Amino acid sequence: MKVLIVTEDEKINSQVSAFLEQQGFDCIKYRILMKALDNLEEIAPKAIFLSAQDYPRHWKTFLQYAKGISLQAKIILYSEKPLNQDEQDKAKFLGVGYVINKIDEEMLSGLSDFLILSNSNEQTEAEKKDDKDIYDPYIQENDFENCNFLFNDVQSGKIINGKVISINDDKLIFYMFDENESKNLMPGTVFKNCTLKTPQKICSVDAVLEKADYNGKFQFKLKF
């Protein structure tokens, strides 16, 4: 089982990887979050150990991206400081399955047990769902299966993520993963510094919401 470890703390990196490797796990270690993000699809880990305290502003973006590419990985979040209720809710939504607040033998043993149990029960109903059914009519014409679009809700500040259905010149049609997040999105709203991920590159764009059907499908005008 491949485990991606992302933390700036060399001691934690070494402790976690040494313990897990003794249990038979294959560990890949990164200190720079963006490098780990860039290589996430290629690494395709079955589990991610991510330090929230090292990346307090970006751990949610990292996990949102992992969710956006349908990465079926078990998420372990490390934070010595207790998560507040909002962070707990976001962590749960982003698929965090295990939170640890210190590195000791008991915590590492619990982490190992979590990974072993998760690995043995990997095929859950959620993971069996074939998201591709939603996009089949579009994929037949253009392959946008590996394109994702992320932006921050202007009002709530929440990260919104989904699949790109089509891109035509500066028009982007987008299917949101969580339809409940669509209620506050109004046509005419400008979203700054959105992230567009294609198989070729990741780029930052501004986008204007042009149309919304509030069933999860939206049309944006992109400003590169």
Side-chain angles (χ1 to χ4, degrees), residues 12-28:
I12 292 175
N13 208 327
S14 298
Q15 287 177 313
V16 174
S17 61
F19 184 88
L20 292 180
E21 285 168 354
Q22 287 178 357
Q23 309 302 312
F25 295 98
D26 180 19
C27 296
I28 298 173

Side-chain angles (χ1 to χ4, degrees), residues 10 44 65 77 82 90 114 119 164 174 202:
E10 289 287 0
Y65 177 73
L77 196 65
K90 288 179 180 178
F114 167 74
N119 194 39
V164 173
F174 160 87
I202 301 175

Side-chain angles (χ1 to χ4, degrees), residues 95-161:
V96 174
Y98 198 77
V99 179
I100 61 176
N101 56 17
K102 59 181 177 180
I103 304 297
D104 59 19
E105 187 172 347
E106 182 180 357
M107 282 288 183
L108 290 174
S109 294
L111 169 58
S112 177
D113 292 343
F114 167 74
L115 292 175
I116 292 170
L117 181 62
S118 298
N119 194 39
S120 64
N121 295 288
E122 195 170 19
Q123 293 301 319
T124 65
E125 280 302 312
E127 292 168 338
K128 290 177 183 177
K129 180 182 177 183
D130 187 6
D131 290 332
K132 194 173 181 178
D133 289 345
I134 300 171
Y135 314 111
D136 274 345
Y138 302 94
I139 292 173
Q140 290 172 9
E141 181 177 355
N142 295 297
D143 184 10
F144 294 104
E145 187 178 11
N146 297 314
C147 296
N148 298 92
F149 190 59
L150 298 87
F151 59 94
N152 287 93
D153 184 349
V154 175
Q155 293 186 23
S156 68
K158 291 183 178 180
I159 299 170
I160 296 177
N161 188 21

Side-chain angles (χ1 to χ4, degrees), residues 38 65 146-148 195-203 224:
D38 288 343
Y65 177 73
N146 297 314
C147 296
N148 298 92
T195 299
L196 175 62
K197 167 70 172 59
T198 72
Q200 291 76 33
K201 63 179 180 179
I202 301 175
C203 59
F224 291 92

